[in-house]
Amino acid sequence: MSFPQLQKFSIAAARRFSFVFYIEYSSTRTSLLPSLPEKYDFRNTNPSAQQMSSINKHEENPQITPFETPSNDDFFEKMLSAIPNCCWPNLSSSPKFSWDANLGHHTALKSRDRFCPAVDDPDATSVDCHLDEAALLDSASKLSDHQINGVDSSVPKSFLLQQQLLFSKGVGGGVGAEVFSGGYSGLLALPLSLANGDSVDSRLLDDRSKHGSAEALYNGIPGSLHGNGETFHHRKAGRLPVQNYETPTVTVQIQSHGGASPGGTGTVLQKQRVRARRGQATDPHSIAERLRRERIAERMKALQELVPNTSKTDKASMLDEIIDYVKFLQLQVKVLSMSRMGGAAVEAPLVADISSQVADAGWRRNAAQTAAVGANDNLSVAEHQVAKLMEEDMGSAMQYLQGKGLCLMPISLATAFSTTTTYCNPITDNPHHQSSSNGGTSGGGNNHNNPLLASNRETPASPSLSALTVQSSAVGKGEGGGADAHVNDSTYAPKPC
Amino acid sequence: MNPHPSSCSNGRSIRTRFARRFLRALKKIGSKGSSSRPSPRDISWRCRRVKIAADASMASAVGPRRVWSRTMLNMLRSRSHACLHASRLGNSRRPGADRHAVGKRKRLVLKRKLPNRLGLNQVNQLRRLVPGGEAMDLDILLDETAHYIKCLATQVKVMRSIVDYCSA
């Protein structure tokens, strides 16, 4: 995460959790803090400035130093000056230190590499420890008074910084999250702490109805930082680096980003301005819109499963596939209903119509896969049948073939197919073409039968095909008249056989 | 009945229902014409009848639960009424209807070449394809399309098996 990003994150977190800090402290002070998990029970640890500083020493300074050291004093002064008389009673250095130290300790326990850089300036932090504590407490109180969010950056930079230092040390679960209301690199720990400290946070945030915000933060850490940073940014009266000022635009969004996550309600913190989560909105219309879009996407996925052999995930192309498939199925029903009756002559116009539709739909792939006609098994039987029918009436023969999903094809073409293709359907090939008058129709009929009813058998039935060829040639007299038409029509066919 | 209105997962039940109705209709149609060499007109009429029977039996097998089946049943009913009236006046109406449908398809094909913006073109096409899809929201339309596709596939399977059985 780049530093500016960290910054934003930290600022947002600071905003969000500044009040948490306050609560935490107050409860600590008043010993009201209920059953905190042991790891979070920092109250008992023995504080010491040295401990604090030593802890701080672990954490790096690189990320913070550029900002902290030069501006720490300013930040603290600002914070102190900005803080009104708060309700932090009996702020003594030791309790503060203990608290901070404990927090820092705890955070350090769970410190991660990312956070290491956060607090690495022992000198800077230790020196300012007492100042920080007071400032933090004051700022926290101020924050609580000012609703923390975007009112005015009552949270001095140092305050946030301190929190970040403490937080970044290890993000000891919710405690870290609570404490860490700002900071820069330490904010990285925020997601960790948030993830870990759900229970703690909820307890601590209960009284402030911050639970939602904590959740929001958990859910929308990247965004929430901005939300916090927004208010923080306000406070930074020009003392902060320029980078901080970039956050407000983002923070604003993220503030509500976190707020919207709990349930899209948007109101996370008490008196916090409701802002839309990034990419989402909080008003009912957009929520309904979002739900609708999700429903549509879900149904598109279901449709994708229905349409065979589609690898498209794009919505537009998926719609194309769906449309083609529906057309294809309707076409199949039509052809199948025709296959049982009628003659070739009558079929011709209908078939021609179908062929044009098929040509336009370009439905080849699916046709090849779905139009499996179970003619493979009784191929020889069909052959005989076709031969018989052809002697009587070409139309009925065509009908029969169409019913089976087969077509007539010149032998030359069939042999070319059988030798070159990997998958094909055993197409009954018959060089015996109809008279020229029927040639067109039969060609047309063959045409759409090919794309429509090609079987999806993978193995080429070359042996059977050649047998067919031989047999057919024996039966009929090959005519080259319709060959051209067939060749042209065969272009519509799927993988030839 | 089908416990899953959103899916033909109980395709077996829909399949059997459809098969039964369709076979019944086919029997009726078969009994009407008996000449060995039916005239082309009769053949085309029979083809249409078969297709109508297929659609009607499918729609009635699905039941009025689905928008598309309801629309289809209404369409068929109105068409049959129109045909009845037409038959009284003469048998000139049916081919006209068919030609009209053909023309409609060609128009549909032409429109497809327009530039596609936000998939609106395709959505409109889909609306035209699915019966009753004109007045549906997109999500309902997609739902109906899914069910329609399932039932069409069932229809094709049944019809093909019938053809295979008859011709084998």
Side-chain angles (χ1 to χ4, degrees):
Chain A
M1 202 194 239
S2 66
F3 195 78
Q5 282 173 325
L6 289 173
Q7 234 177 351
K8 296 175 190 174
F9 184 87
S10 64
I11 290 161
R15 294 314 282 153
R16 189 171 293 284
F17 290 112
S18 53
F19 66 89
V20 178
F21 183 95
Y22 169 74
I23 298 301
E24 170 71 10
Y25 180 86
S26 64
S27 53
T28 307
R29 291 289 299 153
T30 57
S31 306
L32 290 177
L33 201 59
S35 52
L36 268 180
E38 253 187 49
K39 54 181 179 175
Y40 301 131
D41 193 8
F42 50 80
R43 284 176 286 168
N44 298 331
T45 51
N46 202 4
S48 67
Q50 292 81 12
Q51 188 178 359
M52 179 76 160
S53 53
S54 62
I55 289 167
N56 289 339
K57 265 186 183 121
H58 308 322
E59 328 301 359
E60 64 81 29
N61 196 10
Q63 289 186 4
I64 299 176
T65 354
F67 295 93
E68 292 177 10
T69 19
S71 55
N72 259 352
D73 294 338
D74 291 340
F75 181 79
F76 293 142
E77 284 167 17
K78 184 178 183 298
M79 197 168 62
L80 290 168
S81 60
I83 295 170
N85 292 331
C86 67
C87 43
W88 295 92
N90 303 325
L91 291 181
S92 60
S93 54
S94 58
K96 291 179 210 165
F97 266 110
S98 64
W99 185 73
D100 289 335
N102 291 332
L103 287 170
H105 176 67
H106 282 286
T107 54
L109 288 176
K110 302 197 175 182
S111 66
R112 305 208 175 185
D113 297 340
R114 287 187 297 174
F115 312 127
C116 281
V119 184
D120 220 290
D121 188 9
D123 297 331
T125 53
S126 61
V127 166
D128 298 325
C129 257
H130 42 283
L131 287 176
D132 284 346
E133 284 169 351
L136 283 169
L137 296 171
D138 292 340
S139 61
S141 64
K142 177 155 190 174
L143 280 174
S144 66
D145 293 339
H146 292 264
Q147 308 311 325
I148 297 178
N149 252 349
V151 176
D152 46 325
S153 61
S154 58
V155 179
K157 180 182 166 186
S158 61
F159 172 63
L160 296 173
L161 211 63
Q162 178 70 6
Q163 289 179 338
Q164 174 235 342
L165 293 177
L166 296 170
F167 183 83
S168 63
K169 278 176 192 174
V171 186
V175 171
E178 293 151 10
V179 175
F180 184 61
S181 66
Y184 302 91
S185 58
L187 285 174
L188 284 174
L190 188 60
L192 299 177
S193 65
L194 293 173
N196 297 333
D198 277 1
S199 56
V200 177
D201 279 346
S202 56
R203 273 196 299 274
L204 296 168
L205 300 174
D206 268 344
D207 56 348
R208 308 270 299 195
S209 68
K210 295 169 192 89
H211 186 64
S213 66
E215 274 179 328
L217 198 53
Y218 295 167
N219 296 334
I221 302 263
S224 58
L225 290 176
H226 294 277
N228 276 340
E230 173 204 353
T231 44
F232 177 67
H233 178 69
H234 288 294
R235 304 301 172 102
K236 300 174 285 189
R239 298 229 179 141
L240 298 173
V242 181
Q243 288 160 334
N244 291 335
Y245 290 94
E246 295 170 4
T247 56
T249 53
V250 188
T251 62
V252 171
Q253 296 172 5
I254 302 209
Q255 175 84 42
S256 47
H257 184 71
S261 54
T265 53
T267 309
V268 176
L269 299 172
Q270 211 174 9
K271 303 182 203 171
Q272 184 171 340
R273 223 180 326 158
V274 176
R275 285 195 184 268
R277 186 175 183 155
R278 181 187 260 166
Q280 295 178 5
T282 52
D283 64 310
H285 295 296
S286 21
I287 289 171
E289 182 65 33
R290 200 188 339 143
L291 282 171
R292 183 174 164 270
R293 262 179 276 142
E294 281 165 9
R295 267 209 306 272
I296 289 174
E298 180 185 311
R299 295 210 173 121
M300 290 284 294
K301 268 192 214 132
L303 276 170
Q304 193 173 355
E305 282 159 31
L306 278 178
V307 179
N309 298 314
T310 177
S311 53
K312 308 261 167 67
T313 49
D314 169 37
K315 193 175 173 188
S317 47
M318 200 56 225
L319 276 174
D320 277 331
E321 297 264 329
I322 291 165
I323 287 167
D324 283 346
Y325 189 56
V326 170
K327 280 194 204 158
F328 165 68
L329 285 175
Q330 285 174 341
L331 215 52
Q332 262 192 314
V333 169
K334 200 165 185 180
V335 167
L336 281 170
S337 68
M338 280 190 312
S339 70
R340 265 173 247 120
M341 39 209 68
V346 177
E347 264 178 40
L350 299 169
V351 157
D353 173 37
I354 292 170
S355 78
S356 68
Q357 293 172 37
V358 171
D360 291 326
W363 191 258
R364 295 164 208 138
R365 180 171 50 81
N366 277 333
Q369 277 117 17
T370 58
V373 178
N376 304 326
D377 299 329
N378 42 6
L379 196 56
S380 53
V381 176
E383 253 182 64
H384 293 302
Q385 185 75 359
V386 168
K388 241 189 296 176
L389 284 172
M390 273 185 2
E391 286 161 20
E392 309 165 3
D393 168 35
M394 207 55 218
S396 56
M398 292 304 301
Q399 270 296 302
Y400 178 76
L401 279 178
Q402 281 173 19
K404 290 220 159 274
L406 304 174
C407 70
L408 290 187
M409 186 184 295
I411 285 187
S412 53
L413 199 59
T415 46
F417 288 163
S418 62
T419 52
T420 57
T421 59
T422 52
Y423 88 83
C424 68
N425 39 343
I427 298 175
T428 307
D429 64 330
N430 194 322
H432 184 75
H433 304 300
Q434 304 86 346
S435 59
S436 55
S437 61
N438 287 340
T441 59
S442 61
N446 291 344
N447 176 20
H448 15 272
N449 269 335
N450 267 338
L452 278 181
L453 305 170
S455 81
N456 51 8
R457 279 268 293 260
E458 293 279 323
T459 59
S462 318
S464 57
L465 203 57
S466 21
L468 272 176
T469 307
V470 170
Q471 200 167 4
S472 305
S473 58
V475 169
K477 304 157 197 169
E479 286 183 10
D484 292 339
H486 281 286
V487 168
N488 292 336
D489 296 334
S490 65
T491 57
Y492 289 116
K495 293 291 187 265
C497 175
Chain B
M1 293 295 277
N2 188 7
H4 280 285
S6 65
S7 74
C8 277
S9 60
N10 293 350
R12 192 152 286 282
S13 66
I14 282 191
R15 201 187 301 167
T16 48
R17 287 208 307 271
F18 164 70
R20 238 179 260 139
R21 285 164 218 242
F22 186 51
L23 288 169
R24 248 180 272 148
L26 277 181
K27 231 188 281 179
K28 261 190 248 170
I29 293 171
S31 65
K32 279 184 191 165
S34 56
S35 63
S36 57
R37 291 273 179 205
S39 69
R41 197 143 155 280
D42 290 340
I43 290 169
S44 65
W45 178 83
R46 281 180 82 189
C47 289
R48 226 173 291 118
R49 286 289 305 169
V50 169
K51 173 149 192 311
I52 290 169
D55 290 338
S57 47
M58 191 72 228
S60 61
V62 169
R65 213 176 306 113
R66 283 275 155 179
V67 179
W68 69 266
S69 61
R70 276 199 303 267
T71 317
M72 192 176 269
L73 285 169
N74 293 336
M75 231 168 37
L76 292 168
R77 244 175 253 145
S78 61
R79 224 184 267 168
S80 70
H81 287 315
C83 277
L84 272 172
H85 292 304
S87 65
R88 284 185 206 150
L89 305 169
N91 284 341
S92 56
R93 195 154 165 160
R94 264 178 257 122
D98 209 18
R99 257 180 253 126
H100 175 65
V102 168
K104 237 182 177 176
R105 281 224 165 91
K106 290 199 173 133
R107 281 203 296 278
L108 184 141
V109 168
L110 283 172
K111 270 191 182 155
R112 207 166 167 201
K113 310 225 169 98
L114 291 175
N116 185 10
R117 265 176 267 132
L118 303 172
L120 207 63
N121 207 11
Q122 293 147 332
V123 172
N124 291 337
Q125 275 184 312
L126 197 58
R127 283 183 198 275
R128 266 174 252 134
L129 280 175
V130 177
E134 302 281 346
M136 275 195 249
D137 290 340
L138 184 56
D139 47 1
I140 302 174
L141 176 69
L142 291 177
D143 201 23
E144 293 282 321
T145 308
H147 191 259
Y148 186 54
I149 285 176
K150 277 187 207 161
C151 294
L152 273 179
T154 315
Q155 199 174 2
V156 164
K157 270 184 227 156
V158 170
M159 288 171 78
R160 191 179 286 147
S161 59
I162 291 175
V163 169
D164 286 345
Y165 176 77
C166 289
S167 52

